[in-house]
Amino acid sequence: MKHKYRNIRCLRVIIMTLLLAYIWVSCQKDGVGIDPDKRYVTLSINLPSESTKSKALTFNDENYVDNIYLIIFNKDGTFKELAEGRSITDASTGGDVIKKFEATVPVGTYDIMVLVNAEDEILASTKFVDGSTRSDIIGDLLFVRNNEWPSESTDHINNGGFPMWGVESDAVINSDGTTNFDGSTIPVIRSLVRIDVVVPQAVYNKWGNLVNVRLYNRYMSGQIIPNDGTVDFHSSYLGGFEVSGPSIPSTAQKELNPLLYEVDAAATNAEKNIMVATIYTFESEAGSFGSILDNTCLVLAIGQKNEDNSGGAVRLPDPEFPDQVGVLTSTRSVTDETWYYRVDFTDDGTSRGTYMPLLRNHTYEVKVKEIINHGFNTPGDAYRSESYNDISYEIIAFQNGEEVEGEIGNTYRLDISSTDVWVEGNRSETITIKSTHPNGWTAQLSDSPDQITTWGSYWLSATPLTGAQNQSVTVTITGSGNIYGTAYIHVTSDNMTNVIKVTRWSQGV
């Protein structure tokens, strides 16, 4: 009998232990824990959702999340505390990429920064102490990369993904665990630059395929968090901000020895002439013609024959051109199968144009328009030259995270800040539309998402309904009358069309 009672007592102890553990977890989730000034909250991050089609990284790879941390700052800019995000889950809907997570945070009003995939750098930092300022922490959290960022899916994930950053200013954590910001969701952006290269069929049919790409003068370190003065908090991008200038660590150094990105020789012509989601690097300042050997640039190798032995055979005489910068001009021949061409990040595709900085969370699409003549025999000779009239190219720069219609590799882009708009009563909402096509864009109202119909839902108005090339146009969408429901705005630019769904969820007066 003594053993029976002993077993009963043991069972009671186990039950009480489990019950206390359940109560403790429940209290933690209800915000009643060891520290009464903290609450257990559920938050989300919204990642850049511009998709890619390539044999390298995919849409989901670019947005892979391994870890999340919150840096909480007092309103005077001093460090409050660091919180780790736990129980990370995918909560994506539609075209958005949303990750939910849980964290224990203090009650009050703070500026909250979100860091993604930066755990090693955070744990190694000594700046998360009382008295540290935002600038102290921004300058201390650096990524260092001596070689290329992995562009194969498995390697990319094994290396912990891309570093990302976001911020919610004046974030309120209420005593019931709720927040004052939309959906308790903070948008984040990638801390890296992406460079894509496109060689159209007309070019590779005549001159041969893209063989490889070299990236010269890259920085080997970069800031995870951008400098405060480089962020525009009034932008329509990503629901709150975009980056307007590079943030380069004071200790950052450029590596002259280039990174080499080889094209898959076994790929089809179309695949091997579009290098997408492969080249990632840190931010860089705008170059100048006077410092051509220090500027971040590319050298393209073009000229191997296609599978059917076409291409790479047309060789024109050497053109007359002025002396190049720091390069001998008489070393080229007409017998080589592969030729090398320098590409500078300028507005006109030449070394003498206006240089653009390379900014985080931006993609720079280099599109070869035409090869006019054979280039240099070696990549080093091409690098030491300036971009000249042997090659014609253009660079289309855009920020990742926009609603984008049109695949990578197309000549033009149609970008829309939101394709799902909710209008309350007779109030107005705004979106931003931009097209890189010379004819700009036009929009029409419709009752159907699939086609433009005779407009019958007269409660919706939108203005303006046109926009010029490369102009970010703010479109005001307004409800009127006593009708409510769903309507659509079809936005067209060249052969690209994107449809905006507009929902009016309450009647007007």
Side-chain angles (χ1 to χ4, degrees):
M1 294 298 293
K2 185 179 295 186
H3 292 296
K4 179 178 179 181
Y5 289 131
R6 182 180 300 165
N7 291 338
I8 292 175
R9 286 198 301 270
C10 290
L11 181 61
R12 287 175 178 172
V13 169
I14 293 173
I15 293 174
M16 287 300 297
T17 301
L18 293 175
L19 181 59
L20 289 172
Y22 172 78
I23 293 173
W24 184 85
V25 171
S26 299
C27 289
Q28 288 290 309
K29 292 195 173 184
D30 289 338
V32 182
I34 297 174
D35 189 339
D37 296 326
K38 293 184 179 181
R39 291 296 180 270
Y40 192 84
V41 299
T42 299
L43 303 172
S44 301
I45 54 172
N46 190 0
L47 295 96
S49 58
E50 193 268 321
S51 63
T52 65
K53 293 184 177 181
S54 74
K55 296 190 70 175
L57 294 189
T58 67
F59 172 46
N60 290 329
D61 292 334
E62 281 194 319
N63 290 304
Y64 172 74
V65 173
D66 181 73
N67 55 79
I68 300 174
Y69 281 83
L70 302 178
I71 308 176
I72 302 171
F73 293 95
N74 296 308
K75 289 307 298 176
D76 63 1
T78 58
F79 171 71
K80 171 71 175 178
E81 65 178 74
L82 183 70
E84 181 182 2
R86 296 182 174 88
S87 303
I88 302 171
T89 58
D90 183 24
S92 302
T93 58
D96 294 330
V97 181
I98 297 176
K99 300 289 185 181
K100 282 191 174 182
F101 63 98
E102 298 168 345
T104 303
V105 295
V107 174
T109 301
Y110 307 96
D111 292 338
I112 299 178
M113 287 189 180
V114 180
L115 271 64
V116 180
N117 300 334
E119 183 173 67
D120 291 343
E121 289 70 24
I122 289 172
L123 297 181
S125 175
T126 60
K127 300 298 182 180
F128 296 109
V129 294
D130 291 342
S132 289
T133 64
R134 283 171 63 129
S135 60
D136 292 334
I137 293 173
I138 289 173
D140 189 57
L141 290 177
L142 307 181
F143 253 88
V144 177
R145 173 71 60 168
N146 294 323
N147 49 19
E148 72 274 10
W149 290 86
S151 59
E152 296 295 333
S153 179
T154 302
D155 293 338
H156 170 71
I157 292 173
N158 289 341
N159 276 269
F162 292 139
M164 304 181 218
W165 166 89
V167 64
E168 186 68 36
S169 300
D170 298 318
V172 176
I173 306 299
N174 297 310
S175 58
D176 61 356
T178 60
T179 70
N180 68 326
F181 46 98
D182 187 20
S184 296
T185 300
I186 302 174
V188 299
I189 59 176
R190 283 187 283 274
S191 300
L192 299 178
V193 177
R194 182 174 120 188
I195 302 171
D196 295 339
V197 179
V198 177
V199 179
Q201 183 175 354
V203 175
Y204 67 71
N205 278 349
K206 183 178 181 180
W207 290 93
N209 292 315
L210 178 67
V211 181
N212 56 57
V213 177
R214 285 172 170 82
L215 173 64
Y216 283 85
N217 287 331
R218 74 197 185 280
Y219 278 112
M220 292 186 292
S221 62
Q223 294 179 192
I224 302 172
I225 305 171
N227 295 329
D228 287 337
T230 66
V231 181
D232 175 11
F233 289 95
H234 303 285
S235 168
S236 62
Y237 293 108
L238 293 166
F241 55 85
E242 65 174 319
V243 175
S244 58
S247 299
I248 301 171
S250 59
T251 57
Q253 295 182 341
K254 285 184 176 179
E255 173 59 44
L256 174 61
N257 189 38
L259 290 178
L260 176 63
Y261 299 87
E262 296 280 4
V263 173
D264 183 2
T268 64
N269 277 341
E271 290 175 334
K272 72 173 57 172
N273 286 289
I274 299 179
M275 185 175 286
V276 174
T278 300
I279 304 173
Y280 296 87
T281 189
F282 294 118
E283 292 180 292
S284 183
E285 71 283 344
S288 69
F289 180 70
S291 61
I292 192 169
L293 296 182
D294 295 323
N295 299 336
T296 303
C297 67
L298 303 177
V299 169
L300 312 184
I302 297 175
Q304 284 189 331
K305 291 183 178 180
N306 302 329
E307 290 90 336
D308 60 359
N309 207 39
S310 66
V314 178
R315 296 288 182 253
L316 304 177
D318 280 341
E320 295 294 331
F321 55 86
D323 289 342
Q324 304 301 301
V325 178
V327 66
L328 297 174
T329 61
S330 59
T331 59
R332 297 178 297 172
S333 68
V334 296
T335 59
D336 292 335
E337 286 295 334
T338 300
W339 299 90
Y340 298 92
Y341 303 85
R342 175 170 174 143
V343 168
D344 287 287
F345 293 94
T346 60
D347 63 344
D348 66 353
T350 74
S351 296
R352 298 174 184 261
T354 300
Y355 284 78
M356 60 183 71
L358 300 183
L359 303 180
R360 68 181 59 211
N361 202 56
H362 281 68
T363 292
Y364 296 82
E365 181 181 313
V366 178
K367 182 177 183 293
V368 177
K369 298 167 64 177
E370 182 183 9
I371 293 182
I372 304 165
N373 210 331
H374 49 269
F376 288 87
N377 289 101
T378 69
D381 283 346
Y383 160 69
R384 289 186 293 272
S385 77
E386 62 174 289
S387 299
Y388 59 101
N389 62 353
D390 278 4
I391 186 173
S392 173
Y393 61 89
E394 65 178 349
I395 297 177
I396 302 171
F398 58 93
Q399 182 170 211
N400 303 130
E402 303 164 273
E403 293 284 348
V404 176
E405 176 68 21
E407 297 178 5
I408 297 295
N410 288 352
T411 303
Y412 304 106
R413 307 195 70 85
L414 174 61
D415 305 333
I416 300 175
S417 61
S418 177
T419 54
D420 190 4
V421 179
W422 290 71
V423 178
E424 178 186 3
N426 293 338
R427 298 182 179 180
S428 298
E429 298 292 339
T430 61
I431 60 172
T432 301
I433 302 177
K434 176 183 176 181
S435 172
T436 63
H437 191 271
N439 294 333
W441 59 270
T442 60
Q444 290 178 269
L445 307 181
S446 176
D447 293 313
S448 169
D450 302 316
Q451 59 184 335
I452 298 173
T453 61
T454 301
W455 177 238
S457 299
Y458 300 107
W459 56 265
L460 173 65
S461 64
T463 184
L465 293 176
T466 61
Q469 181 187 24
N470 292 328
Q471 298 297 312
S472 294
V473 180
T474 298
V475 178
T476 302
I477 301 172
T478 307
S480 63
N482 293 318
I483 302 173
Y484 65 96
T486 302
Y488 303 89
I489 304 174
H490 292 246
V491 183
T492 302
S493 178
D494 190 33
N495 62 349
M496 300 174 291
T497 299
N498 209 345
V499 179
I500 303 168
K501 178 182 177 182
V502 182
T503 304
R504 192 174 185 225
W505 59 274
S506 67
Q507 295 183 3
V509 178

